[in-house]
């Protein structure tokens, strides 16, 4: 068991991050290498500056708001939650002073972020089970949602425990010691081993690794491609 | 399917993988937001008519031959090899899509289903499974471009016969030709369709505006674009480009044909002439006071041809014209960007009776929209739309009149 924990918490993380970074770069590189069509492919009317409207489309999803407000709300909550979690995880690695301009406890939202994302993911999953989104869905769509759901659930569980039922067998410093050891290339899992929440952590990291591994090979790439595509639509 | 054919089709597929196409293929999250945007789906709610579902038919093959996930874990993305059955699916997907790009307005990313369908169309050509009639018509257009001399005489005689009708509606000064052809140094080359309705009203308005124009020998319609053959599309367009260069015109004006306008505007390349649609020219005449008009009675509404409006940006001009020539104008869609497609584009109307049943079933939402506009006359600026709207009018018993914008303007002309 200890070996398995180590494998998931150290080598697998390195592999996942490497595949994530290289794979994503490769996908972007492949795109840049392919020939660009000269024909304008915009939807009219076009407004200037195009890049600004495109960025607005990509970040604020106005078309979703117009045609499916409930989905928009869920997407907004989910993606903002993702942003908050990215910040939370960065702060778990090291103190980032400029992020503390507005002082806050590490992991924003006191557990609410994880809960909101969990609910959103359940909603996304349920949408896929009814027609006509059902017919559009392929196994990849379900797999990614389930992976996200599990990652969020186990991750949030640790957050909830600390925030809600005062069960903090691992402190921010313990997580930080582990993550910092990974960053500096002197991996050690000593600080996160043997605590009540070690199992949660291992499972969380395992699913997160799978997500990172999947990122460059799946539709998750929309996170990057949306900017380019929206730019084309805006002419 | 033979292995050699499959390899050839995969190679053809590869030629379509531009940067824009890769983005279209690799970004869809299958959120389904585009589903209600398609008139085919809105009229007949079957999953196969959802834009993303159509796109997925192409995407499955893309995944199988061009992506790592599709090669190693095909089941995850439902990647599928190219088979005869897959070709049949491609055919159904591509020829039930009119390329209106209304779905693109809904998509959070702006995925271009028409572009994706162009792959399906190309694969069908490669497998010799494209609609024969469209390929045939495209070939006729091309061969016409190669041998102008053989059909020139007949063409000129036909034009002569139309001239009396032009003069009957608008007197020209003695010595001017009512329908000029081959005028070197003319300001404008007008590219019409075969058929008096595309030539007479346009000529009447040109003459009224004292335009220094000349009629093209060629028809504007581009069957190469309908069948989705990039090579033929360009060849058909090049005939017109060459003619414009030979005559040294400043402007090439494309008649009321949405596809022809879009193809000519977007694929002519950098040239010493500008490409404009007839509607834009007419709006300009009115703006500059080159023609005088009266207001016609009756309630009118305007159907935006997708290739001219959503995909070409000509929204204001037809409204400016109608505002001057009809007493009662009623919008059929609050925001013209969202106007429903007539259901006749993408070569469907050109395929005639074969597609009539599908065209009528898929245009139920258009029929409803026209009915709700409560206008007596439906005006449009595209040949395909016009034919389709007339079919809809008859099929759904709407009891409207369908008119070309140019012919309405010709009717509204008054002497200076
Ligand atoms: S381009 Fe038009 S016809 Fe084709 S899928 Fe999109 S909405 Fe439907
Ligand atoms: S709206 Fe766009 S991303 Fe969503 S299913 Fe349709 S094409 Fe795919």
């Amino acid at each position: 068991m200890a070996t398995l924990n180590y494998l998931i918490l150290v080598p697998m993380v390195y592999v996942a991050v490497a595949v994530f970074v290289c794979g994503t770069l490769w996908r972007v590189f492949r795109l840049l290498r392919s020939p660009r069509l000269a024909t304008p492919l915009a939807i009219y009317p076009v407004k200037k500056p195009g890049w600004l409207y495109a960025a607005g489309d990509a970040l604020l999803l106005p078309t979703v708001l117009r045609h499916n407000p409930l989905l928009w709300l869920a997407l907004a909550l989910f993606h903002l939650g993702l942003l908050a979690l990215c910040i939370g995880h960065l702060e778990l690695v090291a103190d980032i002073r400029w992020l503390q301009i507005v002082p806050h406890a590490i992991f924003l939202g006191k557990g609410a972020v994880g809960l909101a994302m969990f609910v959103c993911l359940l909603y996304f999953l349920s949408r896929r089970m009814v027609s006509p989104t059902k017919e559009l869905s392929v196994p990849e769509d379900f797999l990614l949602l389930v992976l996200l759901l599990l990652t969020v659930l186990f991750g949030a569980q640790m957050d909830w425990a600390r925030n809600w039922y005062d069960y903090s067998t691992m402190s921010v410093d313990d997580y930080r010691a582990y993550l910092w050891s990974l960053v500096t290339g002197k991996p050690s899992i000593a600080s996160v081993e043997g605590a009540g929440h070690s199992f949660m952590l291992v499972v969380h990291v395992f699913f997160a690794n799978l997500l990172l591994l999947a990122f460059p090979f799946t539709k998750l790439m929309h996170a990057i491609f949306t900017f380019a595509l929206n730019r084309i639509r805006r002419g | 399917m033979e292995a050699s054919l499959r390899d050839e089709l995969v190679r053809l597929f590869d030629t379509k993988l531009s940067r824009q196409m890769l983005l279209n293929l690799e970004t869809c999250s299958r959120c389904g937001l585009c589903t209600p945007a398609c008139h085919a789906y809105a009229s007949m709610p079957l999953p196969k008519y959802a834009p993303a579902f159509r796109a997925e038919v192409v995407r499955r093959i893309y995944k199988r031959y061009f992506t790592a996930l599709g090669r190693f874990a095909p089941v995850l993305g439902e990647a599928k090899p190219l088979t005869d059955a897959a070709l049949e699916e491609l055919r159904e997907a591509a020829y039930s899509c009119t390329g209106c790009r209304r779905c693109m307005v809904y998509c959070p990313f702006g995925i271009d289903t028409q572009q994706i369908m162009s792959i399906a169309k190309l694969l069908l050509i490669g497998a010799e499974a494209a609609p024969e009639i469209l390929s045939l018509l495209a070939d006729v257009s091309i061969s016409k471009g190669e041998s102008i001399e053989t059909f020139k005489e007949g063409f000129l005689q036909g034009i002569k016969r139309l001239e009396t009708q032009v003069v009957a509606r608008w007197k020209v000064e003695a010595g001017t030709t009512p329908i000029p052809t081959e005028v070197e140094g003319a300001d404008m080359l007008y590219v019409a369709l075969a058929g008096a309705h595309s030539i007479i009203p346009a000529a009447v308005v040109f003459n009224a505006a004292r335009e220094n124009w000349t009629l093209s020998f060629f028809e504007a319609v581009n069957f190469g674009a309908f069948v989705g053959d990039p090579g033929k599309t360009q060849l058909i367009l090049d005939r017109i480009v060459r003619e414009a260069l030979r005559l040294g015109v400043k402007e090439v004006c494309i008649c009321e044909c949405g596809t022809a306008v879009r193809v000519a505007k977007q694929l002519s390349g950098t040239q010493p002439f500008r490409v404009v649609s007839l509607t834009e020219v007419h709006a300009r005449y009115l703006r500059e006071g080159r023609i005088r008009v009266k207001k016609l009675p009756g309630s009118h509404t305007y159907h935006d041809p997708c290739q001219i409006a959503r995909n070409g940006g000509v929204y204001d001009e037809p409204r400016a014209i109608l505002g001057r020539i009809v007493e009662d104008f009623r919008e059929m869609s609050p925001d013209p960007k969202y106007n429903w497609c007539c259901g006749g584009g993408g070569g469907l109307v050109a395929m005639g009776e074969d597609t009539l049943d599908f065209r009528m079933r898929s245009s139920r939402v258009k029929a409803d929209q026209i009915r709700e506009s409560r206008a007596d006359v439906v005006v449009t600026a595209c040949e395909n739309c016009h034919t389709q709207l007339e079919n809809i009018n008859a099929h759904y018993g709407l009891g409207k009149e369908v008119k070309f914008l140019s012919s309405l303007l010709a009717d509204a002309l008054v002497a200076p």
Side-chain angles (χ1 to χ4, degrees), chain B residues 244-257:
Chain B
L245 291 175
R246 183 167 53 82
L247 297 175
V249 295
K250 298 194 192 90
E251 256 180 341
V252 171
C253 171
I254 308 288
C255 66
E256 292 170 309
C257 171

Side-chain angles (χ1 to χ4, degrees), chain B residues 122-138:
Chain B
L122 190 66
L123 295 184
L124 290 169
I125 294 172
E128 293 181 9
E132 262 170 56
I133 172 82
L134 294 181
S135 307
L136 199 76
L137 288 167

Side-chain angles (χ1 to χ4, degrees), chain B residues 108-154:
Chain B
F109 308 115
I111 289 172
D112 190 336
T113 313
Q114 184 193 33
Q115 282 286 305
I116 298 178
M117 288 305 106
S118 77
I119 298 179
K121 288 191 167 183
L122 190 66
L123 295 184
L124 290 169
I125 294 172
E128 293 181 9
E132 262 170 56
I133 172 82
L134 294 181
S135 307
L136 199 76
L137 288 167
D139 289 339
V140 170
S141 298
I142 293 170
S143 70
K144 232 176 172 179
E146 283 159 356
S147 51
I148 303 189
E149 296 307 322
T150 49
F151 79 93
K152 203 169 180 175
E153 255 334 289

Side-chain angles (χ1 to χ4, degrees), chain A residues 30-217:
Chain A
R30 182 158 160 263
L31 200 70
L32 294 177
R33 207 191 41 180
S34 56
R36 211 177 69 87
L37 280 185
T39 31
L41 293 166
I43 286 287
Y44 293 86
V46 288
K47 292 189 194 149
K48 300 279 164 210
W51 64 268
L52 189 64
Y53 281 96
D57 289 346
L59 296 172
L60 304 175
L61 313 179
T63 70
V64 189
L65 181 61
R66 175 163 181 157
H67 300 293
N68 191 337
L70 180 63
L71 179 61
W72 183 85
L73 191 69
L75 287 172
L77 274 179
F78 176 78
H79 286 92
L80 285 175
L82 211 58
L83 186 70
L85 290 186
C86 286
I87 293 174
H89 281 82
L90 275 179
E91 289 187 309
L92 213 49
V93 176
D95 260 328
I96 299 177
R97 197 156 312 140
W98 61 266
L99 283 177
Q100 285 291 353
I101 289 181
V102 183
H104 57 265
I106 286 183
F107 275 109
L108 295 154
K110 300 204 187 332
V113 172
L115 183 67
M117 288 178 75
F118 187 73
V119 174
C120 291
L121 284 164
L122 283 181
Y123 168 66
F124 296 150
L125 211 51
S126 69
R127 269 189 91 236
R128 292 220 174 270
M129 308 223 185
V130 290
S131 195
T133 328
K134 185 170 136 197
E135 286 83 359
L136 291 180
S137 306
V138 300
E140 174 192 328
D141 303 327
F142 291 100
L143 189 79
L144 289 175
L145 281 177
V146 169
L147 273 181
L148 278 165
L149 205 69
L150 291 168
T151 310
V152 167
L153 183 64
F154 286 98
Q157 186 57 42
M158 291 183 273
D159 200 26
W160 295 340
R162 282 192 301 131
N163 280 301
W164 298 351
Y165 23 96
D166 206 16
Y167 179 82
S168 41
T169 62
M170 282 192 284
S171 66
V172 166
D173 288 331
D174 295 329
Y175 292 117
R176 188 169 284 169
Y178 157 62
L179 284 170
W180 191 245
S181 79
L182 285 180
V183 173
T184 50
K186 294 187 230 76
S188 150
I189 60 169
S191 63
V192 291
E193 234 178 353
H197 263 161
S198 293
F199 174 72
M200 293 288 176
L201 178 73
V202 173
V203 179
H204 172 69
V205 172
F206 176 72
F207 288 122
N209 283 341
L210 289 183
L211 270 178
L212 284 178
L213 286 168
F215 189 94
F217 304 104

Side-chain angles (χ1 to χ4, degrees), chain B residues 28-34 52 107-109 111:
Chain B
C28 178
S29 62
R30 288 170 290 275
C31 68
L33 202 73
C34 54
C107 177
F109 308 115
I111 289 172

Side-chain angles (χ1 to χ4, degrees), chain B residues 34 37-41 49-52 54 93 96-104 112-114 117 310 341:
Chain B
C34 54
C38 181
H39 61 278
Y41 182 89
Y49 296 135
R54 283 176 217 289
S96 61
C97 168
T98 58
C100 70
R101 293 163 105 224
R102 191 170 186 272
C103 48
M104 215 174 146
D112 190 336
T113 313
Q114 184 193 33
M117 288 305 106
R310 185 163 38 245
C341 170

